[in-house]
Amino acid sequence: MAKLNTFKNSAGTAAGKKTKNTTLSYQKRAKTTKSFDQINFSEGQRKALKILGLFLLLLAGLFTVAFVSYLFTWKADQSYISSTNGGWSTLFKTTEEIHDEQVDLPIVENKLGKFGALLANQFIYEWFGVASFLFILILFVTGYKFLYKRSILPMWKTWVYSLIAIILLSITFGFIQDFIADTPHILEGKFGFWTNQILKSQIGQVGTAGLLIFVVLTALVLIYNYDLRLSFRSNKNEDLEDDELLEEDEPSLEGNTTNKIRSNKQNEVASHTYSYPEPTEEIEEEEELTEEEKELIMSMPLQVNTPKPTNNNVQHQAGQEIEFSIEPPTPQPKASEVAEEPSLIVEQPIVEKPISANDLVEKFGEYDPKLDLSGYQYPTLDLLKEYGSGKITINQQELEGNKNRIVETLRNYSIEIEHIKATIGPTVTLYEIIPKPGVRISKIKNLEDDIALSLAALGIRIIAPMPGKGTIGIEVPSSTPEMVSMRSILATEKYQKTDMDLPIALGKTISNEVYIADLAKMPHLLVAGATGQGKSVGINAILTSLLYKKHPAELKFVLVDPKKVELSLFKKIERHFLAKLPNEDEAIITDTKNVVNTLNSLCIEMDQRYDLLKNAQVRNLKEYNAKFINRRLNPEEGHRFLPFIVLIIDEFADLIMTAGKEVETPIARLAQLARAIGIHLVIATQRPSVNIITGTIKANFPARLAFRVLSKTDSRTILDSGGADQLIGRGDMLLSTGSDLIRIQCAFVDTPEVDQISDFIGGQRGYPSAHLLPEYVGESGEGGASSDFDMDSRDSMFEEAARLIVMHQQGSTSLIQRKLKLGYNRAGRIIDQLEAAGIVGPFEGSKAREVLYPDEYSLEQYLETLR
């Protein structure tokens, strides 16, 4: 048995290694396929791939017809080819032209005509013989992959393995051909024939055979990791393994034999389960048994007794093998003399090794949240338009004129400068001046209106001093502003290779640099601007840049649009990117009452996510998802992959006017707590007044984006400083991320472009519905179910849920969801019915409800009264 265990352990280890190698190879193959599928081909490239796939499939069909027909018509086909001296030159000649050159021309019998005869003859006769049929497999697998983007077989491995097989089969058939008959080279082709002739002339027939066997076995080892050990086992070992397998099927015989052997060696110490004796010793012990002993063993009844503890016995420890002794049969005493003792059967407990997260990753690979929509295609850049040339036009005459006017205006007030430098942006030119020593900065700053008058320009802004520089900046609008297109921003390497969690492409700075911010680190954004200054375009730019970068499994939007028209274009992506309440028909929220319910639902989602992070012992969403992807969290305990949720409110002032504190309170809660669990807010308003943007909201929105406003008071409200009232409009904006202000020209994305992007995403396969948020019940409805609840209309799983709650002594909706595999809505209704029936207590916030029945017996008695 020890030997059998050794064999099992070695076999198990080999099988484990083989399984691991197979799993790893599968994962590599899956990763290769996945990377090919996720290439963002343009529309023209996708069409070209489909046409190429159709052509390869057609070619595979033509090859099949020509090759199969050639196997039956090769004599006539070769006669025609030999008569035309090669034949390919006659492919495009008419029959009359060929008959003029060759009178007695044989008839082509191939089903594909002249082309089929020439093609099959070239591949089968001239090249590789019947191994050429593998070219059909190569063409079919490649064509199917290009046409449908699905793999019947791994494409690159099919190419490599098929080409190796073609060469080996051709040479092998060439070697076999000498032993069959002297026929034309249809079986091996000329390649296989001449290769064998060269090998035989160099190393002889026996050497060629040995070389072929070596090459074939080497290919099997390299490709399939083929184990050659089984081919060289001795007959003695095979017989021994057969005996061991037979012993497994007959445990009683094996037990008798083993116990007899051990009874002859009573003074031996019990061996540990993982220390095995040598196979030769066990065989020798079996040979020492005489015929009389064997007959005695076969005839005696089996009686297993535990050995009595003596001083010579060794105490058994966990993991050691328990020894048994068999006593010879003795005359049975009378019942009056000795009471019969029952036999004791001792079984070793089976200790199962728990499955670790690494084992799951090795077996199944890492969890892929994108697997449900693995064929999702990211939007392409050709859906966006290119506005303008994308290059900055330098007007040297304008630059010199502005410089002279600035210098002259400052000299009029006795301010001398040492140096002046111009930085040209898309819409604004920054002039940096260095005044001479002794000049007060405040004196220059007070001349803002005078410089604007001399330049005859709108929106002069003086930055004194420039942050991080020893200069004073004067921002002057250009006479010929350049429009910044969203396409030019998204096509840059900076955006394509960013590793930000939520990258938003805002536009270009005054130094013509692309500016990309991470919404996950802001972590919330407050947007303000007067009507017509580009606020809605900025919202569309934020949404567009996120749609181009994130997969539907990674990101969900909650869109609030009180004006009902600004965000309606994104309705088409509902099943991909939008989130909504369970009972709502529209994913884009326009009603104030639904806004309040949605915000409170997001607060519930936030609390649930924090509970998941607490149970997972992580601090933020990124760590939690990484742990879930590595299969270190159990979905049966309620864990799931958590996507980012971005709440976008287009007109916040209207909500404050209609709902007031009902809206402000949940938004303040989300702004304070939601950043760690991946819920981020983007709030836009036209009126940045103090009664709209309160101190509580401002304190939790460190990132603020200001388009042009109408007064300095509004600018100070949104930015805590002036400057927003001096912007020139049309996408000109200031971004405050702390103490610094950055002037940016917003990237322009028009309504038709947004419509095309929504059509592209919405036309693909999506989830069955939008992402469902937790159901929210108002304070009046919570805990009031008992007054209007009818026990006759209770759920069909009411009693099963009641038993489950009492058995676990935990009254929670998530427990019913997990154990009974129900949705959140149905589980919530059941928990309300249980409360109405007096089985669980009222709602207590994040804590589980109190279970009012201590055991299942008292519950069953109560349920009997309800039936």
Coordinates of all heavy atoms in Angstrom, one line a residue, residues 22-78:
T22 N -1.6 23.4 -18.5 CA -2.7 23.6 -19.4 C -3.4 24.8 -19.1 O -3.8 25.6 -20.0 CB -3.6 22.4 -19.3 OG1 -2.9 21.2 -19.6 CG2 -4.7 22.5 -20.4
T23 N -3.6 25.1 -17.8 CA -4.3 26.3 -17.4 C -3.6 27.6 -17.8 O -4.1 28.5 -18.3 CB -4.6 26.3 -15.9 OG1 -5.2 25.1 -15.5 CG2 -5.4 27.5 -15.5
L24 N -2.2 27.5 -17.6 CA -1.4 28.7 -17.9 C -1.4 28.9 -19.4 O -1.5 30.1 -19.9 CB 0.0 28.5 -17.4 CG 0.2 28.5 -15.9 CD1 1.6 28.2 -15.5 CD2 -0.3 29.9 -15.3
S25 N -1.3 27.8 -20.2 CA -1.3 28.0 -21.7 C -2.7 28.5 -22.1 O -2.8 29.4 -23.0 CB -1.1 26.6 -22.3 OG -2.1 25.7 -22.0
Y26 N -3.7 28.1 -21.5 CA -5.1 28.6 -21.8 C -5.2 30.1 -21.5 O -5.7 30.9 -22.3 CB -6.1 27.8 -21.1 CG -7.5 28.4 -21.2 CD1 -8.2 28.2 -22.4 CD2 -8.1 29.2 -20.2 CE1 -9.5 28.7 -22.5 CE2 -9.3 29.8 -20.4 CZ -10.0 29.5 -21.5 OH -11.3 30.1 -21.7
Q27 N -4.6 30.5 -20.3 CA -4.7 31.9 -20.0 C -3.9 32.7 -21.0 O -4.3 33.8 -21.3 CB -4.1 32.1 -18.6 CG -5.1 31.5 -17.5 CD -4.4 31.6 -16.1 OE1 -3.3 32.1 -16.0 NE2 -5.1 31.1 -15.1
K28 N -2.7 32.2 -21.4 CA -1.9 33.0 -22.3 C -2.7 33.1 -23.7 O -2.7 34.2 -24.3 CB -0.6 32.3 -22.6 CG 0.4 32.4 -21.3 CD 1.6 31.6 -21.6 CE 2.5 31.6 -20.4 NZ 3.8 30.8 -20.6
R29 N -3.3 32.0 -24.1 CA -4.1 32.0 -25.3 C -5.2 33.0 -25.2 O -5.5 33.8 -26.1 CB -4.6 30.6 -25.6 CG -5.4 30.6 -26.9 CD -5.6 29.2 -27.4 NE -6.5 28.5 -26.5 CZ -6.2 27.5 -25.7 NH1 -5.0 27.1 -25.6 NH2 -7.1 26.9 -24.9
A30 N -5.9 33.0 -24.0 CA -7.0 33.9 -23.8 C -6.5 35.4 -23.8 O -7.2 36.2 -24.4 CB -7.8 33.6 -22.5
K31 N -5.4 35.6 -23.2 CA -4.9 37.0 -23.2 C -4.5 37.5 -24.6 O -4.8 38.6 -25.0 CB -3.7 37.1 -22.3 CG -4.0 37.0 -20.8 CD -2.8 37.1 -20.0 CE -3.1 37.0 -18.5 NZ -1.9 37.1 -17.6
T32 N -3.9 36.6 -25.5 CA -3.6 36.9 -26.8 C -4.8 37.3 -27.6 O -4.9 38.3 -28.3 CB -2.8 35.8 -27.5 OG1 -1.7 35.5 -26.7 CG2 -2.4 36.2 -28.9
T33 N -5.8 36.4 -27.5 CA -7.1 36.6 -28.2 C -7.7 37.9 -27.8 O -8.2 38.7 -28.6 CB -8.0 35.5 -28.0 OG1 -7.4 34.3 -28.4 CG2 -9.3 35.7 -28.9
K34 N -7.7 38.1 -26.5 CA -8.3 39.3 -25.9 C -7.6 40.6 -26.4 O -8.2 41.6 -26.8 CB -8.3 39.3 -24.4 CG -9.0 40.4 -23.8 CD -9.0 40.2 -22.3 CE -9.6 41.4 -21.6 NZ -9.5 41.3 -20.1
S35 N -6.3 40.6 -26.5 CA -5.6 41.8 -26.9 C -5.9 42.1 -28.4 O -5.9 43.2 -28.8 CB -4.1 41.6 -26.7 OG -3.6 40.5 -27.4
F36 N -6.0 41.0 -29.2 CA -6.4 41.2 -30.6 C -7.8 41.8 -30.8 O -8.0 42.7 -31.5 CB -6.3 39.9 -31.4 CG -6.7 40.0 -32.8 CD1 -5.8 40.4 -33.8 CD2 -8.0 39.6 -33.2 CE1 -6.2 40.6 -35.1 CE2 -8.4 39.7 -34.6 CZ -7.5 40.2 -35.5
D37 N -8.7 41.3 -29.9 CA -10.1 41.8 -30.0 C -10.2 43.2 -29.6 O -11.1 44.0 -30.0 CB -11.0 40.9 -29.2 CG -11.2 39.5 -29.8 OD1 -10.9 39.4 -31.0 OD2 -11.5 38.6 -29.1
Q38 N -9.4 43.7 -28.7 CA -9.5 45.0 -28.1 C -8.7 46.1 -28.9 O -8.7 47.2 -28.5 CB -9.0 45.0 -26.6 CG -10.0 44.4 -25.7 CD -9.6 44.6 -24.3 OE1 -8.5 45.0 -24.0 NE2 -10.5 44.3 -23.4
I39 N -8.2 45.7 -30.1 CA -7.5 46.7 -30.9 C -8.6 47.6 -31.5 O -9.6 47.2 -32.0 CB -6.7 46.0 -32.0 CG1 -5.6 45.2 -31.4 CG2 -6.2 47.1 -33.0 CD1 -4.8 44.4 -32.5
N40 N -8.4 48.9 -31.3 CA -9.4 49.9 -31.8 C -9.2 50.1 -33.3 O -8.5 51.1 -33.7 CB -9.3 51.2 -31.0 CG -9.8 51.0 -29.6 OD1 -10.7 50.2 -29.3 ND2 -9.3 51.8 -28.7
F41 N -9.7 49.2 -34.1 CA -9.7 49.4 -35.6 C -10.6 50.5 -36.0 O -11.7 50.7 -35.4 CB -10.0 48.1 -36.3 CG -9.0 47.0 -36.1 CD1 -9.3 45.9 -35.4 CD2 -7.8 47.0 -36.7 CE1 -8.4 44.8 -35.2 CE2 -6.9 46.0 -36.6 CZ -7.2 44.9 -35.8
S42 N -10.2 51.2 -37.0 CA -11.1 52.2 -37.6 C -12.2 51.5 -38.4 O -12.1 50.3 -38.6 CB -10.4 53.2 -38.5 OG -9.8 52.5 -39.6
E43 N -13.2 52.2 -38.8 CA -14.3 51.6 -39.6 C -13.8 51.0 -40.9 O -14.2 49.9 -41.3 CB -15.4 52.7 -39.8 CG -16.7 52.2 -40.4 CD -17.4 51.3 -39.4 OE1 -17.2 51.5 -38.2 OE2 -18.2 50.4 -39.8
G44 N -12.9 51.7 -41.5 CA -12.3 51.2 -42.8 C -11.5 49.9 -42.6 O -11.6 49.0 -43.4
Q45 N -10.8 49.9 -41.5 CA -10.0 48.7 -41.2 C -10.8 47.5 -40.9 O -10.6 46.4 -41.3 CB -9.0 49.0 -40.0 CG -7.9 49.9 -40.4 CD -7.1 50.3 -39.2 OE1 -7.6 50.3 -38.1 NE2 -5.8 50.7 -39.4
R46 N -11.9 47.7 -40.1 CA -12.9 46.6 -39.8 C -13.5 46.1 -41.1 O -13.6 44.8 -41.2 CB -13.9 47.1 -38.9 CG -13.4 47.3 -37.4 CD -14.6 47.3 -36.5 NE -15.5 48.5 -36.7 CZ -15.4 49.7 -36.2 NH1 -14.3 49.9 -35.4 NH2 -16.2 50.6 -36.5
K47 N -13.9 46.9 -42.0 CA -14.4 46.5 -43.3 C -13.4 45.7 -44.1 O -13.7 44.6 -44.7 CB -15.0 47.7 -44.1 CG -16.2 48.3 -43.5 CD -16.6 49.5 -44.3 CE -17.8 50.2 -43.7 NZ -18.3 51.4 -44.4
A48 N -12.2 46.2 -44.1 CA -11.1 45.4 -44.9 C -10.9 44.1 -44.3 O -10.7 43.1 -45.0 CB -9.8 46.3 -44.9
L49 N -10.9 44.0 -42.9 CA -10.7 42.6 -42.3 C -11.8 41.7 -42.6 O -11.6 40.5 -42.9 CB -10.6 42.8 -40.8 CG -9.2 43.3 -40.2 CD1 -9.3 43.5 -38.7 CD2 -8.1 42.3 -40.6
K50 N -13.1 42.2 -42.7 CA -14.2 41.3 -43.0 C -14.1 40.8 -44.4 O -14.4 39.7 -44.7 CB -15.5 42.1 -42.8 CG -15.8 42.3 -41.3 CD -17.2 43.0 -41.1 CE -17.5 43.2 -39.7 NZ -18.8 43.9 -39.5
I51 N -13.7 41.7 -45.4 CA -13.6 41.3 -46.8 C -12.4 40.3 -46.9 O -12.6 39.3 -47.6 CB -13.3 42.6 -47.6 CG1 -14.5 43.5 -47.6 CG2 -13.0 42.2 -49.0 CD1 -14.3 44.8 -48.3
L52 N -11.3 40.5 -46.2 CA -10.2 39.6 -46.2 C -10.7 38.2 -45.7 O -10.3 37.2 -46.2 CB -9.0 40.1 -45.5 CG -7.8 39.2 -45.4 CD1 -7.2 38.9 -46.8 CD2 -6.7 39.9 -44.5
G53 N -11.5 38.2 -44.6 CA -11.9 37.0 -44.0 C -12.8 36.2 -45.0 O -12.7 35.0 -45.2
L54 N -13.7 37.0 -45.7 CA -14.6 36.3 -46.7 C -13.7 35.7 -47.8 O -14.0 34.6 -48.3 CB -15.6 37.3 -47.3 CG -16.8 37.7 -46.4 CD1 -17.5 38.8 -47.1 CD2 -17.7 36.5 -46.3
F55 N -12.7 36.4 -48.3 CA -11.9 35.9 -49.3 C -11.1 34.7 -48.9 O -11.0 33.7 -49.7 CB -10.9 37.0 -49.7 CG -9.9 36.6 -50.8 CD1 -10.2 36.4 -52.1 CD2 -8.5 36.3 -50.4 CE1 -9.3 35.9 -53.0 CE2 -7.6 35.9 -51.4 CZ -8.0 35.7 -52.7
L56 N -10.6 34.6 -47.7 CA -9.9 33.5 -47.2 C -10.8 32.2 -47.1 O -10.4 31.1 -47.4 CB -9.2 33.8 -45.9 CG -8.1 34.8 -45.9 CD1 -7.5 35.1 -44.5 CD2 -6.9 34.3 -46.8
L57 N -12.0 32.5 -46.6 CA -13.0 31.4 -46.5 C -13.3 30.8 -47.9 O -13.5 29.6 -48.1 CB -14.3 31.8 -45.8 CG -14.1 32.1 -44.3 CD1 -15.4 32.6 -43.7 CD2 -13.7 30.9 -43.5
L58 N -13.5 31.7 -48.9 CA -13.7 31.3 -50.3 C -12.6 30.5 -50.8 O -12.7 29.5 -51.4 CB -14.0 32.5 -51.1 CG -14.1 32.3 -52.7 CD1 -15.3 31.4 -53.0 CD2 -14.2 33.6 -53.4
L59 N -11.4 31.0 -50.5 CA -10.1 30.3 -50.9 C -10.0 28.9 -50.3 O -9.6 28.0 -51.0 CB -8.9 31.2 -50.6 CG -7.7 31.0 -51.5 CD1 -8.0 31.4 -52.9 CD2 -6.6 31.9 -51.0
A60 N -10.4 28.8 -49.0 CA -10.4 27.5 -48.4 C -11.4 26.5 -49.1 O -11.1 25.3 -49.3 CB -10.8 27.6 -46.9
G61 N -12.5 27.0 -49.5 CA -13.5 26.2 -50.2 C -13.0 25.7 -51.5 O -13.1 24.6 -51.9
L62 N -12.4 26.7 -52.3 CA -11.8 26.3 -53.6 C -10.7 25.3 -53.4 O -10.6 24.4 -54.2 CB -11.3 27.6 -54.3 CG -12.4 28.6 -54.6 CD1 -11.7 29.9 -55.3 CD2 -13.4 28.0 -55.6
F63 N -9.8 25.5 -52.5 CA -8.7 24.5 -52.2 C -9.3 23.1 -51.9 O -8.8 22.1 -52.4 CB -7.9 25.0 -51.0 CG -6.7 25.9 -51.4 CD1 -6.9 27.0 -52.2 CD2 -5.4 25.6 -51.0 CE1 -5.9 27.8 -52.6 CE2 -4.4 26.5 -51.3 CZ -4.6 27.6 -52.2
T64 N -10.3 23.1 -51.1 CA -10.9 21.8 -50.8 C -11.5 21.1 -52.0 O -11.2 19.9 -52.2 CB -12.1 22.0 -49.8 OG1 -11.6 22.7 -48.6 CG2 -12.7 20.7 -49.3
V65 N -12.2 21.8 -52.8 CA -12.8 21.2 -54.1 C -11.6 20.7 -55.0 O -11.7 19.6 -55.5 CB -13.7 22.2 -54.8 CG1 -14.2 21.6 -56.1 CG2 -14.9 22.5 -53.9
A66 N -10.6 21.6 -55.2 CA -9.5 21.2 -56.1 C -8.7 20.0 -55.5 O -8.4 19.1 -56.3 CB -8.6 22.4 -56.3
F67 N -8.4 20.0 -54.3 CA -7.6 18.9 -53.7 C -8.3 17.6 -53.7 O -7.8 16.5 -54.1 CB -7.1 19.3 -52.3 CG -6.1 20.3 -52.2 CD1 -5.6 21.0 -53.4 CD2 -5.5 20.7 -51.0 CE1 -4.7 22.0 -53.3 CE2 -4.6 21.7 -50.9 CZ -4.1 22.3 -52.1
V68 N -9.6 17.6 -53.2 CA -10.3 16.4 -53.2 C -10.6 15.8 -54.6 O -10.4 14.6 -54.8 CB -11.7 16.6 -52.5 CG1 -12.6 15.3 -52.5 CG2 -11.5 17.0 -51.0
S69 N -10.9 16.7 -55.5 CA -11.1 16.2 -56.9 C -9.8 15.7 -57.5 O -9.8 14.7 -58.3 CB -11.6 17.4 -57.8 OG -11.8 17.0 -59.1
Y70 N -8.7 16.2 -57.1 CA -7.4 15.8 -57.7 C -7.0 14.4 -57.2 O -6.3 13.7 -57.9 CB -6.3 16.8 -57.2 CG -4.9 16.5 -57.8 CD1 -4.6 16.9 -59.1 CD2 -3.9 15.9 -57.1 CE1 -3.4 16.7 -59.7 CE2 -2.7 15.6 -57.6 CZ -2.4 16.0 -58.9 OH -1.2 15.8 -59.5
L71 N -7.5 14.0 -56.1 CA -7.2 12.6 -55.6 C -7.8 11.6 -56.5 O -7.3 10.4 -56.6 CB -7.8 12.4 -54.2 CG -7.1 13.3 -53.1 CD1 -7.8 13.0 -51.7 CD2 -5.6 13.0 -53.0
F72 N -8.9 11.9 -57.3 CA -9.6 11.0 -58.1 C -9.2 11.2 -59.6 O -9.4 10.3 -60.5 CB -11.1 11.1 -57.9 CG -11.5 10.8 -56.6 CD1 -11.8 11.8 -55.6 CD2 -11.7 9.5 -56.1 CE1 -12.2 11.5 -54.4 CE2 -12.1 9.2 -54.8 CZ -12.3 10.2 -53.9
T73 N -8.8 12.5 -59.9 CA -8.6 12.8 -61.4 C -7.1 13.2 -61.6 O -6.8 13.8 -62.6 CB -9.5 14.0 -61.7 OG1 -9.1 15.1 -61.0 CG2 -10.9 13.7 -61.5
W74 N -6.2 12.7 -60.8 CA -4.8 13.2 -60.9 C -4.2 12.7 -62.2 O -3.3 13.4 -62.8 CB -4.0 12.8 -59.7 CG -3.8 11.3 -59.5 CD1 -4.7 10.5 -58.9 CD2 -2.8 10.4 -60.1 NE1 -4.2 9.2 -58.9 CE2 -3.1 9.1 -59.6 CE3 -1.7 10.7 -60.8 CZ2 -2.2 8.1 -60.0 CZ3 -0.8 9.6 -61.1 CH2 -1.1 8.3 -60.7
K75 N -4.6 11.5 -62.7 CA -4.0 11.0 -64.0 C -4.3 12.0 -65.1 O -3.4 12.4 -65.9 CB -4.4 9.6 -64.3 CG -3.9 8.6 -63.3 CD -4.4 7.2 -63.6 CE -3.8 6.2 -62.6 NZ -4.3 4.8 -63.0
A76 N -5.6 12.3 -65.3 CA -6.0 13.2 -66.4 C -5.4 14.6 -66.2 O -5.0 15.2 -67.1 CB -7.5 13.3 -66.5
D77 N -5.4 15.1 -64.9 CA -4.9 16.4 -64.7 C -3.4 16.5 -65.0 O -2.9 17.5 -65.6 CB -5.1 16.8 -63.2 CG -6.6 17.0 -62.9 OD1 -7.4 17.0 -63.9 OD2 -7.0 17.0 -61.7
Q78 N -2.6 15.4 -64.6 CA -1.2 15.4 -64.9 C -0.9 15.3 -66.4 O 0.1 15.9 -66.9 CB -0.5 14.3 -64.1 CG -0.3 14.7 -62.6 CD 0.6 13.7 -61.9 OE1 1.0 12.7 -62.5 NE2 1.0 14.0 -60.7

